[in-house]
Amino acid sequence: MAQRIKYIVVMGSIMSGLGKGILSSSIARLLKKRGYKVLPIKFDGYLNVDCGTMNPFRHGEVFVLDDGSEVDMDFGTYERFLNQSLTGRSSITGGKMFKRIIEKERRGDFLGRDVQFVPHLTDEIKECVKCVGEEEKADIVLIEVGGTVGDLENGYFIEAMRQLAYEVGKDLLFLQLTFVPSLGKGEPKTKPTQHANRLIQSMGIKPEIIICRGDEPLTKEAKEKISLYCNVPFENVVYDPMVPTVYQLPEMLEKQNLYDVLANRLELRKEAVEQSEWDKLVGRIIKPTHELKVGIVGKYTSVSDAYVSIKEALVHAGAVVNAKADFEFVDSEEFEGKMAKELEKYDAIIVPGGFGKRGIEGKIKAIQYCRENGVPFLGLCLGMQMMVVEYARNVCGLKGANSSEIEKETPHPVIDILPEQVSIMEKGATMRLGAYPCILKEGTKSFELYGEKNISERHRHRYEVNPNYVSKLEEGGLIISGVSPKNNIMEMCEWKEGFGIGTQAHPELKSRLEAPAPLFVGLLKAALKRKKKD
Ligand code: GLN
């Protein structure tokens, strides 16, 4: 008989931004280390069906999975910590749930009844959770409830979990993440946690583990108070410290016996079975031998999470080459009016993905600077498209070349809309999304970095290199190093001289500490080589 699935439900209290995703991922990692198949599930209360229509400059990066689902950026954290690819079924949003319920209602599935939050919506949520867990053959389903306890938006998710807890009894455990402020006085204040805990208990839920974020270490007294007033044993109160790298958090939690607490309560095995380089790589992140400065030339954003996967891919690649790759943002719109020489201070440049016209000429100017001055360059999606535009204009002599996304009437649309995109009007989940295969040309730098011919990367775009211009670009010396086997889309290109690679995909989305993205490793290696020469 199949083992019963165990559930861990992580809820955030007091305020947002405490790092629920990183905490959940760290717990998932501790479980994986013991050989368990962990399935993360994220509840998001918003009414969008998925993240695809949200602005990353307001909500953080839109993460894309192999199956083409556009999901919350926490999925990036789960995948990076677990080194495991997830499916869109792990993302349960308010929008998805309401859509299903309304479709059922229209079909007549509830005929004769009024359709309500309880039991219809809560049943739907429980059903989804159980189904994915079973179909994915998970040992442990780890659910992160988006938002903060007390929000109107996630109330029905929490109620669904209360019911699930009642149904599965001891196989489900609630965990409360909380904030314990000190206000610089060295005396952590537990009152907000006590109140938040009571709020949770008023919902019929009893958190069994309390994880405390704080700006100062949690004192023994504070732990005792939380234990006594929140009805949990002393050892179930765990401190979630600031760490030099998030990849260190699993170890920090383990040191406080969090895994043992979980294992005792859920009857899990305690011995580790995983053989992994994780700890060694974390060591290299903390104590790197070299330092590199990478400039990201993109549209301005005050939301630091907008490019989080690129930032993490640089950390992973840095651990391979033993370098700390500091990333600095260059506002491409502002850069349009500046001297290209201002990029001199960077060891490598990345032009990331994006949409629309703003700052585009600044990106092209930065790419030209890299090509002419031998600065290692990586172009991601829009970055690759602009690499092609720059090459067409300045090397192939195609005056006014552009992407038709940027300039409809350009005389040379070297980047043009994908044929299947022309008739699409709806905006949700309609781009070329998810993992697509690519065949690399032997003898190219791209091939050398991947070390194989057949690769697969994730995509999110509507435009492509115009096939009518490929021979002109090749005649001009641009190397097309990767092509999609089915529909002949140009997937990758590179310069003959120096290190300059552009990819239509988003390799940063598949980069993990234990499986770094080859193009990022290549970029940093080239940057180090160039730096050593100077
Ligand atoms: N805007 C471009 C396209 O749709 C690039 C998209 C991206 O960078 N993700 O093709």
Side-chain angles (χ1 to χ4, degrees):
M1 204 182 84
Q3 272 277 342
R4 289 192 323 259
I5 295 177
K6 314 261 163 118
Y7 299 90
I8 299 173
V9 181
V10 177
M11 295 177 299
S13 64
I14 302 181
M15 63 186 206
S16 61
L18 294 180
K20 241 185 305 135
I22 291 164
L23 171 67
S24 305
S25 301
S26 298
I27 293 174
R29 168 129 209 109
L30 295 181
L31 296 162
K32 189 186 173 214
K33 200 167 149 184
R34 272 76 188 185
Y36 287 111
K37 169 133 200 233
V38 190
L39 178 78
I41 288 184
K42 169 100 196 272
F43 292 156
D44 273 303
Y46 45 71
L47 295 180
N48 303 59
V49 171
D50 60 38
C51 284
T53 53
M54 291 188 202
N55 184 347
F57 294 167
R58 285 183 61 145
H59 303 276
E61 174 182 87
V62 177
F63 198 76
V64 182
L65 302 175
D66 280 342
D67 65 8
S69 303
E70 296 172 289
V71 292
D72 188 271
M73 58 176 200
D74 278 331
F75 281 83
T77 317
Y78 304 148
E79 288 198 343
R80 289 190 280 269
F81 273 70
L82 284 173
N83 192 14
Q84 171 186 323
S85 294
L86 302 172
T87 75
R89 298 187 63 206
S90 278
S91 168
I92 301 186
T93 67
K96 243 187 224 177
M97 292 298 103
F98 280 101
K99 188 165 177 269
R100 285 167 73 128
I101 287 286
I102 291 169
E103 278 166 4
K104 281 188 176 177
E105 186 274 332
R106 290 291 83 184
R107 247 190 351 243
D109 290 10
F110 308 115
L111 222 50
R113 289 217 42 180
D114 51 340
V115 185
Q116 297 188 309
F117 276 70
V118 182
H120 302 104
L121 191 59
T122 45
D123 280 354
E124 191 69 37
I125 295 167
K126 282 187 289 179
E127 194 50 39
C128 276
V129 168
K130 287 190 218 159
C131 262
V132 205
E134 276 162 26
E135 282 177 26
E136 295 281 332
K137 299 195 172 44
D139 299 311
I140 299 155
V141 172
L142 197 137
I143 299 157
E144 178 188 343
V145 182
T148 309
V149 177
D151 290 349
L152 206 54
E153 283 99 329
N154 59 19
Y156 52 89
F157 283 120
I158 294 177
E159 165 59 14
M161 290 305 95
R162 185 199 62 74
Q163 293 178 19
L164 185 65
Y166 176 68
E167 287 166 18
V168 303
K170 277 290 192 194
D171 290 337
L172 189 149
L173 170 143
F174 285 104
L175 194 147
Q176 175 188 353
L177 174 62
T178 186
F179 181 56
V180 183
S182 297
L183 301 174
K185 294 191 182 109
E187 191 195 339
K189 295 290 184 191
T190 64
K191 199 68 68 125
T193 298
Q194 297 177 38
H195 285 299
N197 187 266
R198 276 186 205 156
L199 176 64
I200 300 175
Q201 297 209 40
S202 74
M203 296 169 175
I205 286 170
K206 184 182 170 313
E208 293 182 63
I209 297 175
I210 301 191
I211 310 273
C212 308
R213 276 304 293 274
D215 25 37
E216 285 176 31
L218 200 63
T219 57
K220 185 165 167 278
E221 292 71 29
K223 254 177 117 167
E224 279 167 353
K225 272 192 187 166
I226 293 173
S227 160
L228 181 64
Y229 298 121
C230 300
N231 296 317
V232 295
F234 181 79
E235 62 275 16
N236 290 26
V237 183
V238 172
Y239 182 51
D240 178 347
M242 289 301 283
V243 273
T245 163
V246 291
Y247 300 107
Q248 213 186 357
L249 189 60
E251 182 199 334
M252 293 294 182
L253 297 174
E254 200 160 18
K255 273 191 183 145
Q256 297 177 70
N257 298 328
L258 174 64
Y259 182 77
D260 288 345
V261 169
L262 279 170
N264 290 338
R265 166 61 180 78
L266 291 172
E267 296 174 356
L268 306 173
R269 76 178 79 90
K270 291 201 179 156
E271 331 66 68
V273 297
E274 192 188 65
Q275 299 293 328
S276 154
E277 297 268 278
W278 184 276
D279 294 338
K280 191 172 122 200
L281 294 166
V282 170
R284 286 209 196 153
I285 297 174
I286 297 168
K287 279 203 183 103
T289 316
H290 311 283
E291 279 196 16
L292 290 170
K293 225 180 191 172
V294 181
I296 314 259
V297 185
K299 266 198 247 182
Y300 171 76
T301 168
S302 57
V303 178
S304 65
D305 285 339
Y307 296 111
V308 63
S309 289
I310 296 180
K311 200 171 105 196
E312 293 305 319
L314 286 172
V315 173
H316 307 157
V320 177
V321 303
N322 223 333
K324 179 170 189 286
D326 269 334
F327 116 36
E328 214 173 87
F329 203 75
V330 183
D331 177 355
S332 56
E333 202 176 7
E334 233 178 59
F335 182 67
E336 280 172 5
K338 287 190 178 162
M339 301 288 288
K341 238 175 118 46
E342 292 204 15
L343 296 182
E344 222 171 37
K345 60 180 174 200
Y346 299 110
D347 301 307
I349 294 288
I350 293 176
V351 174
F355 296 82
K357 205 179 164 106
R358 183 156 65 88
I360 216 82
E361 290 301 321
K363 293 179 189 177
I364 297 172
K365 190 165 142 188
I367 298 170
Q368 182 178 4
Y369 176 82
C370 292
R371 189 177 51 74
E372 291 175 348
N373 294 281
V375 180
F377 165 76
L378 181 58
L380 306 170
C381 203
L382 181 72
M384 178 257 207
Q385 297 175 354
M386 291 309 112
M387 175 182 178
V388 170
V389 168
E390 189 280 324
Y391 206 85
R393 285 184 191 175
N394 301 327
V395 181
C396 304
L398 299 171
K399 229 173 136 212
N402 213 333
S403 160
S404 55
E405 176 187 8
I406 313 297
E407 194 188 337
K408 264 209 155 41
E409 304 305 325
T410 167
H412 295 294
V414 288
I415 305 295
D416 205 3
I417 190 142
L418 284 156
E420 69 270 22
Q421 288 285 329
V422 177
S423 55
I424 294 176
M425 293 300 154
E426 284 198 7
K427 290 284 186 240
T430 54
M431 285 191 240
R432 181 171 179 249
L433 286 167
Y436 282 94
C438 163
I439 299 178
L440 296 178
K441 204 182 276 170
E442 279 177 58
T444 59
K445 283 184 205 95
S446 314
F447 176 82
E448 194 187 313
L449 287 171
Y450 277 91
E452 56 188 325
K453 210 169 156 184
N454 295 298
I455 62 157
S456 167
E457 292 286 7
R458 295 177 180 173
H459 295 70
R460 185 171 190 258
H461 64 122
R462 289 200 172 86
Y463 291 78
E464 63 164 338
V465 177
N466 187 339
N468 300 332
Y469 279 91
V470 168
S471 53
K472 273 207 185 78
L473 291 163
E474 282 185 315
E475 276 160 31
L478 188 70
I479 298 168
I480 306 291
S481 49
V483 195
S484 152
K486 249 197 190 154
N487 33 12
N488 212 29
I489 294 172
M490 303 309 127
E491 291 282 2
M492 248 188 244
C493 61
E494 58 187 54
W495 296 326
K496 264 198 189 116
E497 311 293 332
F499 185 99
I501 298 185
T503 166
Q504 188 56 81
H506 288 277
E508 69 275 20
L509 299 178
K510 268 182 46 181
S511 182
R512 293 151 192 185
L513 186 58
E514 296 158 292
L519 296 184
F520 282 78
V521 177
L523 181 79
L524 295 194
K525 274 190 179 157
L528 267 181
K529 204 166 139 196
R530 181 166 169 268
K531 198 172 178 183
K532 279 181 190 159
K533 258 196 229 151
D534 286 349

